[in-house]
Amino acid sequence: MKLVWAIVQNEDAGALIDALTKRQYRITRINTAGGFLRQGNATIISAVEDNQVEYVIAIIEENCQKRIKEVVPVPLGSEPGAFFVPYPMHVEVGGATVFVIDLWDYRRL
Ligand code: 2BA
């Protein structure tokens, strides 16, 4: 078995969970935040049979869009008299960051 571990945008998480649970996949959603943007995102984990991995990834791809997010850089420090003009930056986020991890054991007790 494999653990499919997907970091997705909050905007996509609901539809993705619906699409997976409708097909009988068991999933867990964890509310997480990205280290770069410091904004909330969602981590979806699901233990699946090896032969289901590509199908699950295809469902993730189908339900997660790329988006441009605006971020305003925060100054790390400033000299007296200096001023900082916070020009917004744009970064492309998603569709999803997916890790596939070998699962040693899976039990429902
Ligand atoms: P964040 O860390 O908030 O990153 C959001 C987006 O900012 C990233 O989108 C990427 O486009 C950009 N970005 C991240 N780090 C950057 C850097 N050092 N310099 C320039 N731009 C940077 P995605 O790549 O689609 O990632 C979306 C979220 O997935 C990330 O949110 C993070 O929570 C997670 N993630 C991505 N790669 C990861 C990795 N290698 N390990 C763990 N989590 C990861």
Side-chain angles (χ1 to χ4, degrees), residues 4-99:
V4 178
W5 180 292
I7 303 163
V8 307
Q9 294 172 69
N10 279 332
E11 295 92 321
D12 296 323
L16 174 60
I17 291 167
D18 288 348
L20 290 169
T21 53
K22 193 169 80 184
R23 292 171 176 86
Q24 314 302 322
Y25 291 106
R26 295 171 187 270
I27 66 109
T28 293
R29 172 185 177 156
I30 308 167
N31 291 326
T32 45
F36 189 70
L37 293 180
R38 312 286 168 102
Q39 291 176 3
N41 55 25
T43 296
I44 309 292
I45 59 173
S46 184
V48 302
E49 297 292 345
D50 289 18
N51 64 8
Q52 296 292 303
V53 169
E54 289 307 321
Y55 184 54
V56 167
I57 290 175
I59 296 169
I60 294 169
E61 198 169 11
E62 211 174 281
N63 285 278
C64 296
Q65 304 171 27
K66 289 187 196 302
R67 293 189 182 83
I68 304 294
K69 300 255 169 138
E70 190 175 280
V71 55
V72 179
V74 177
L76 294 174
S78 55
E79 297 295 320
F83 62 92
F84 175 74
V85 182
Y87 289 108
M89 283 168 55
H90 294 92
V91 290
E92 185 181 79
V93 185
T97 301
V98 181
F99 308 106

